[in-house]
Amino acid sequence: MIFTQKIALFLGAAILATCSLSSSADAAACKYNNGLACPQETPCCSAHGHCGNSPLACGTGCDATASFGGVCQRFTPAAVGGKPTPVPSLPKGSFKVVGLTGVAAQHIALVTPTKMLIIDKAENNPAKLPSGKAAHTVEYDLTTNEYRVMDVSTNTFCSGGGFLPNGTLISGGGAEARLTHTFATGKGFQSLRMWQPCEDGTCEWIENSEDPEWQMTGNRWYVSITTLPSGDLFILGGSNESLAINRLATNNPTWELYPKPKPAVDYQPVLMQFMIDAMPNNLYPNVYSLPNGDLYIFANTKSVIYNVERRQEVRRLPDLPGGPRSYPLTGSHVLLPLDPAKNYAHEILVCGGSEAMSTRANALQSCGRINLADADPQWEMDEMPTPRLMSDPVILADGKIMLLNGAQIGYAGFLRASNPIYTPVVYDPAAPLGQRFTEWVPSNIARMYHSVATLLPDGTVFVAGSNQNSEVRYENVPYPTEYRVESFTPPYLTTDLARPEIVSEIPELATYDQKIEVVIDVKDTDRYTPEITFMLGHRGFVTHSTHMSQRMTKLVATAGKTDGTQLTYTVAMPPNANLMPPGPHYIHVLNNGVPSIAKHFILN
């Protein structure tokens, strides 16, 4: 059970906005509310026919006749003693340009609390190596918004990545060798590369392409890599060569492990029939570990439960309706945050994609959600406010899902998509069906193919990338290669409630089911009654709208002593590695939905 400190009893509502009438819903019935008017907690019948409590729902197009009380008014619960719930001053958040990446941000990984590893393919980027050749990897400092150039000897184009239990990043796969007068790289199809994080600016790539232990068993272009509960990396799928869409002749329908079981020279990959059945849209499959140690794997429209130890399928699940959802018809996939109060039920959300491999194809607007804890899991369908293709699904500090970047027309590939999506949408997993999506403030930067985003320890979102072009292009193309970094500030950082702070030391290494005493400072208890939640997350490796190993869980926390604004909790780590595989993790404390700066540690 998650401890939540609540003294207040909600009594009423405050009027924050009004809106005009429209005919988007029948009189006294909101379209997606089972023929009923909207309830008090989500009082506004939006222009899309959903009940909501956001400025968007209660704004232009809201249907007052189907809204609570016959008016479009936001509901704000007020507490006994006059202690209201904090309301954000920027309810749709804000974007800000903060730096330049130096290389096109095609892959990213948060390798320390202050360092982002940014990886591109070999191309003529503005960041240069001491030799004068163009770089294709940098280490980006999140405190100074400056980058440090590094060399890597193999082509990282369309690779995958995963973290070992000690926090080391392994990058796997890539593309062909390339040698020009401006850049040079060796082939990377089978390559494994190691990055051991540091904070002092001395880390460099570690490679040994001649050693069998530093090579995969075959070529893997568009490969997925996932940290298993054992701490091994599960390396799945890909293509034998660079291409736009997979074919039987190029398909690599196998998986292997890193580190390889000994002897490495004789190690053989394991055939997975599912990766044949999911052709041709089976690149960058999505993989999540389950509470019993099995894996959930999704590709195209198909999904399977798979047991690695026995090397066999456990069961096939129903196909997701609506069209393909994997590269190059790329949808957004995420494991929704786990909750001990729900026995850590694993629910998968898949949104968007494209209806066909055509530059004129429409992106998909539908989403599917499936609860793998059900005896007979089935897809529950929903709709986003707009269609989306190639959007990045970022789990925010409060457990909501932000979908940003992408396009509305076409499919993934060079010059294959158009009509960029500037407006992010946020999905609330706890809201009722039909009321889960809210649109936030748009960016003014087009971010389509080869864009990335991830949550930072301070609760903001790092947004970068976009290169629709086969090489770096600044002119005479619809969408130039993009190097600007944006920081997105979510609404939860714009209230007048001071951010809570973790003031006690967090161990550098924590073990499963360990109880840790955590002291937090909520800063102020005069206006807002503390309501405390602890969230633990792993950021994973991000590329091509695929967030490998990204996951988050609520933690069980028990209240202890109170000393002014400082509160002590006993916080339990997840009970086992099936729920949160080992590796680098970040812990936030939230007070009334406002997150602290996260603390980093290794869970093992």
Side-chain angles (χ1 to χ4, degrees):
M1 179 183 298
I2 301 300
F3 177 82
T4 305
Q5 185 180 13
K6 290 183 177 179
I7 301 175
L9 298 175
F10 293 140
L11 295 180
I15 297 174
L16 298 183
T18 61
C19 66
S20 61
L21 300 179
S22 83
S23 58
S24 63
D26 295 334
C30 199
K31 182 176 179 182
Y32 294 109
N33 194 40
N34 299 315
L36 302 174
C38 294
Q40 184 178 23
E41 292 76 10
T42 52
C44 298
C45 185
S46 73
H48 300 290
H50 296 156
C51 295
N53 192 36
S54 67
L56 182 68
C58 299
T60 302
C62 173
D63 183 357
T65 63
S67 297
F68 182 80
V71 290
C72 290
Q73 296 174 348
R74 289 189 65 199
F75 171 75
T76 301
V80 171
K83 295 184 177 181
T85 299
V87 175
S89 60
L90 297 175
K92 297 182 181 181
S94 63
F95 281 96
K96 179 182 179 181
V97 174
V98 295
L100 299 172
T101 57
V103 302
Q106 192 176 121
H107 322 66
I108 59 171
L110 182 65
V111 289
T112 79
T114 65
K115 299 292 193 298
M116 185 74 72
L117 190 62
I118 302 176
I119 306 171
D120 188 19
K121 69 171 183 172
E123 58 182 334
N124 192 22
N125 285 303
K128 306 299 181 186
L129 296 164
S131 65
K133 295 280 189 180
H136 59 286
T137 65
V138 301
E139 181 186 67
Y140 186 92
D141 190 310
L142 298 166
T143 59
T144 65
N145 291 302
E146 297 177 348
Y147 61 80
R148 179 173 68 92
V149 175
M150 277 94 55
D151 196 7
V152 61
S153 64
T154 55
N155 196 351
T156 49
F157 188 23
C158 299
S159 54
F163 285 88
L164 296 174
N166 66 356
T168 296
L169 174 71
I170 299 296
S171 164
E176 65 278 350
R178 303 191 76 195
L179 178 61
T180 75
H181 70 284
T182 57
F183 58 87
T185 185
K187 65 180 179 180
F189 284 116
Q190 289 184 244
S191 296
L192 291 166
R193 315 161 194 90
M194 180 179 289
W195 181 267
Q196 294 178 326
C198 65
E199 287 282 11
D200 61 4
T202 62
C203 329
E204 298 289 346
W205 283 105
I206 303 170
E207 300 175 273
N208 186 0
S209 58
E210 302 304 316
D211 187 333
E213 293 197 29
W214 288 80
Q215 294 179 351
M216 294 180 290
T217 58
N219 289 1
R220 295 190 187 273
W221 157 274
Y222 290 114
V223 59
S224 284
I225 301 178
T226 305
T227 305
L228 295 176
S230 64
D232 294 330
L233 297 183
F234 180 77
I235 302 172
L236 176 64
S239 169
N240 291 320
E241 64 183 49
S242 304
L243 42 68
I245 191 167
N246 215 354
R247 308 186 306 273
L248 286 174
T250 59
N251 188 30
N252 186 342
T254 69
W255 62 266
E256 59 186 285
L257 297 178
Y258 180 85
K260 296 177 182 177
K262 301 295 183 180
V265 69
D266 296 325
Y267 180 65
Q268 297 298 314
V270 180
L271 176 68
M272 183 184 289
Q273 180 63 38
F274 173 79
M275 293 301 294
I276 299 174
D277 298 341
M279 286 285 292
N281 303 111
N282 68 345
L283 299 175
Y284 278 143
N286 294 86
V287 185
Y288 306 99
S289 68
L290 300 177
N292 64 354
D294 289 342
L295 297 180
Y296 170 85
I297 303 171
F298 184 103
N300 201 335
T301 62
K302 301 180 180 300
S303 52
V304 65
I305 306 298
Y306 189 86
N307 186 281
V308 172
E309 186 175 346
R310 298 198 304 269
R311 302 184 173 192
Q312 66 183 34
E313 287 187 15
V314 175
R315 66 183 297 190
R316 292 281 178 111
L317 296 170
D319 286 0
L320 174 57
R325 315 278 183 157
S326 298
Y327 186 92
L329 310 184
T330 309
S332 304
H333 303 247
V334 65
L335 171 66
L336 297 179
L338 308 178
D339 188 345
K342 298 179 180 178
N343 200 28
Y344 299 101
H346 280 47
E347 295 185 81
I348 309 296
L349 178 70
V350 183
C351 286
S354 184
E355 61 186 10
M357 192 170 169
S358 165
T359 56
R360 297 182 179 181
N362 293 315
L364 301 177
Q365 192 167 352
S366 62
C367 295
R369 175 171 169 174
I370 192 168
N371 188 342
L372 302 177
D374 289 345
D376 182 23
Q378 299 292 323
W379 291 101
E380 174 190 76
M381 301 307 295
D382 203 348
E383 279 202 349
M384 299 176 285
T386 56
R388 305 185 80 94
L389 163 74
M390 298 186 295
S391 285
D392 280 283
V394 177
I395 306 177
L396 299 175
D398 61 0
K400 295 182 175 66
I401 313 301
M402 183 180 185
L403 300 174
L404 70 166
N405 304 335
Q408 295 190 62
I409 301 293
Y411 62 98
F414 295 126
L415 299 175
R416 297 294 188 260
S418 58
N419 198 359
I421 298 174
Y422 296 97
T423 302
V425 66
V426 177
Y427 179 89
D428 183 354
L433 179 65
Q435 304 173 31
R436 294 171 179 162
F437 288 103
T438 302
E439 290 183 311
W440 280 355
V441 67
S443 170
N444 60 9
I445 299 176
R447 297 197 188 272
M448 295 189 284
Y449 193 45
H450 294 152
S451 297
V452 290
T454 194
L455 181 69
L456 295 183
D458 67 358
T460 63
V461 178
F462 178 94
V463 189
S466 191
N467 190 10
Q468 289 266 98
N469 314 294
S470 59
E471 302 294 343
V472 173
R473 295 286 185 272
Y474 306 121
E475 298 177 343
N476 302 319
V477 290
Y479 302 101
T481 306
E482 182 60 64
Y483 292 98
R484 287 173 290 179
V485 177
E486 285 177 293
S487 173
F488 179 79
T489 299
Y492 54 49
L493 294 179
T494 70
T495 76
D496 63 348
L497 173 60
R499 299 183 68 166
E501 180 183 359
I502 299 175
V503 295
S504 59
E505 292 295 324
I506 300 293
E508 294 182 4
L509 176 65
T511 58
Y512 292 98
D513 212 27
Q514 179 180 353
K515 308 298 190 297
I516 299 174
E517 186 174 277
V518 180
V519 181
I520 65 171
D521 191 342
V522 295
K523 310 293 186 181
D524 179 11
T525 58
D526 292 336
R527 291 170 299 162
Y528 303 107
T529 301
E531 184 176 327
I532 304 302
T533 305
F534 288 87
M535 302 290 283
L536 180 71
H538 175 69
R539 306 294 184 256
F541 181 91
V542 181
T543 186
H544 291 75
S545 306
T546 305
H547 291 232
M548 301 177 192
S549 299
Q550 177 186 219
R551 56 202 294 143
M552 184 177 285
T553 185
K554 292 183 180 180
L555 296 175
V556 176
T558 305
K561 66 179 181 181
T562 297
D563 183 9
T565 60
Q566 292 196 356
L567 313 176
T568 300
Y569 289 85
T570 299
V571 181
M573 292 296 102
N576 59 64
N578 295 338
L579 302 175
M580 295 293 285
H585 287 73
Y586 292 84
I587 183 172
H588 289 272
V589 60
L590 295 95
N591 178 19
N592 282 278
V594 177
S596 69
I597 294 175
K599 297 285 189 177
H600 169 268
F601 65 96
I602 298 294
L603 178 63
N604 201 346

